[in-house]
Amino acid sequence: ATQTATAVDSKFLNSPWGEIQVGKETLTDFVFSDVESWADAPAVTCGASGRSYDYGMTRMMIERCACALAGPLKLAPGERLGLILPNIPEFVVLIHGAMRAGLVVTFANPLYTADEIRRQFSDCNVKAIATIEMFMPVAQEVGKSLKDYKGTIWVGGDDDKTKGIYGLKSLLMADHEADLPKVDCDEVCLIPYSSGTTGMPKGVMLTHKNLVSNLKQTQCPKMMKYEGEKGKGDVLLTVPPFFHIYGFNGILNYNLKLGYHIVTMPRFTPDDYIKCLVEYQPTTLFVVPSLLAFLATHPLVKKEHLQWVETIMVGAAPTTDSMLEKFLLKCEKTKDQIKLLQGYGMTESSPVTLMTPYEYPYSKVGSVGQLVPSTQARVVSITTGEMLGPHKSGELWLRGPQVMKGYWNNEAATKETVDSDGWLHTGDVAYYDEEFYFYIVDRTKELIKVKGNQVSPTEIENIIMERPEVADVAVVGVPDPLAGEVPRAFVVLKPKQKLTDKDVCDLVASKLTRYKHLDGGVVFLDAIPRNAAGKIMRNELKVLGYKKKP
Ligand code: 4UV
């Protein structure tokens, strides 16, 4: 049975799933509100080392962490903590400890270069960093360049007060006196970075209310029927990073709230992943399309490895019907035996706005689902600005309590992205059918998605423009069977200048993390197509780029 009833007028669509009660809880209080019911059950286990904390212990460590951040580290409410962490159990302790202390967290990909992390952490005034041994040199280097820096928290290491280093274990062991603040749900607690529709990555200000609303929306009993399932011993094996909004709110908090046992992997390798499948027998997998492709097609993955899986959620980039079919074939299971869910989201919307309901009609497998509760949509003609009817593609606009407060320190970008009526202009092209299922078909924004990771063309273009030989440059995404998309640079050289494609690729590789490298190659052109306003005509380049092999 599909839900079809929805209030539609000519201006916008409402969620067919009604409304949620937007609460006043902080994120940490909400996520752990049922913890007494499963205090002894495992909460987070590191799939690599076996290090594990149960729910009661996790909650206690969060409280102690909050006191330590306010006590010895002297971080005041509203100040920023930067995380440079892979997926490890202590991620939960640090991020919720910080939020419990009224701090604002920003997280970075640990594989970012020092430049990339410094740019983000100085932009939002990070005052302390938490990391593991492998990234201590980067953290210390970045920390030195930050104003009023208060210290580095070393997960798995010891104190070295002369260098401003605090071992997490000793912070948690000592009793710190601290008056923890009463945190208001309208306060910002997280600033993840997103390039949005254009330009460099920007800080996305998310409040407790934004993030809690989104958990309530995605766990709405009517839409998801999760009520009776909580705490029944489900196991989640997860790879998507907690330093991205999908990993943090869509996966980590989502499954902690349900009392699931979360198995983390600090690093993905096929062998380690399969070992974890066998050892932990997960009932639930939350993946990005490239990981789904691995499960569906990699010869090392056998149906026995997936025999416990009941639910699989795919999000953060487009997937195809045929990949979902291949996955079912690999499992040798029918659509009735495995729940295949898809979600569509954005950092700017905490992240989920569309999701396939529990009673999923599998004939709609190419759909990213319906509006989650308390969410409204418009599909707007790109040429006329009018609201479009079913089966007509236009820009997707969304509104709801999960939409960000705005971009940090960037009013112009905020105004361009969230209009005065509260509509988030997604920069994605979508249509909906008669039953109000949505289909994402294209992107008008510049963003490139490599294995679900955001790549800002502007960031790469700025680096290439630094070369004196270069007159103009544009970067676009080109399709890739494994990664979804990869960046390709179109370069115009100044007269009589020489530069090889290898020079350009090496330059980008020396400044940016691996997935931002120019795996789509370099194409030299006489001119970059630009419109009258000087804006790069990216679609034209895409058409050109798809035809020309580098
Ligand atoms: O800002 P961001 O990096 O955010 C995300 C968040 C994704 C999700 C998806 C499902 C969940 O359940 C969840 O918790 C989080 O990716 O990138 C936003 C852009 O990524 C593309 C689209 O262009 C967004 O504007 N995108 C995200 N999900 C999908 C997608 C999808 N299912 N299909 C196609 N494109």
Side-chain angles (χ1 to χ4, degrees), residues 193-196 204 214 218 244-247 249-251 254 286-289 313-319 342-355 366-368 426-429 439-443 445 447 449 452-454 485:
Y193 274 66
S194 163
S195 61
V204 175
N214 205 227
T218 48
H244 179 259
I245 195 70
Y246 176 33
N249 212 34
I251 303 180
Y254 186 95
F286 277 46
V287 300
V288 292
M313 161 69 109
V314 194
T319 187
Q342 276 209 72
Y344 161 89
M346 271 172 83
T347 309
E348 287 81 349
S349 58
S350 305
V352 186
T353 44
L354 292 160
M355 199 159 84
S367 165
V368 290
T426 65
D428 287 308
V429 181
Y439 302 78
I440 308 293
V441 292
D442 199 3
R443 230 179 260 146
K445 59 183 163 191
L447 175 68
K449 276 255 150 154
N453 296 299
Q454 283 207 7
E485 281 181 294

Side-chain angles (χ1 to χ4, degrees), residues 438-477:
F438 282 75
Y439 302 78
I440 308 293
V441 292
D442 199 3
R443 230 179 260 146
T444 54
K445 59 183 163 191
E446 301 167 357
L447 175 68
I448 303 169
K449 276 255 150 154
V450 182
K451 293 190 177 174
N453 296 299
Q454 283 207 7
V455 178
S456 147
T458 311
E459 190 175 15
I460 304 176
E461 286 160 7
N462 286 351
I463 286 169
I464 298 174
M465 270 315 281
E466 280 170 20
R467 286 292 295 237
E469 298 91 338
V470 175
D472 202 2
V473 62
V475 172
V476 300

Side-chain angles (χ1 to χ4, degrees), residues 40 44-45 96 102 107 169 176 178 200-201 218 251 254 276 317 327 376 394 441 447 452-453 526 546 549-550:
D40 296 333
V44 206
T45 299
H96 280 292
F107 38 50
K169 198 164 164 197
H176 305 292
M200 292 289 283
T218 48
I251 303 180
Y254 186 95
C276 283
F327 176 74
Q376 301 168 336
V441 292
L447 175 68
N453 296 299
D526 295 334
Y546 294 170
K549 282 275 158 262

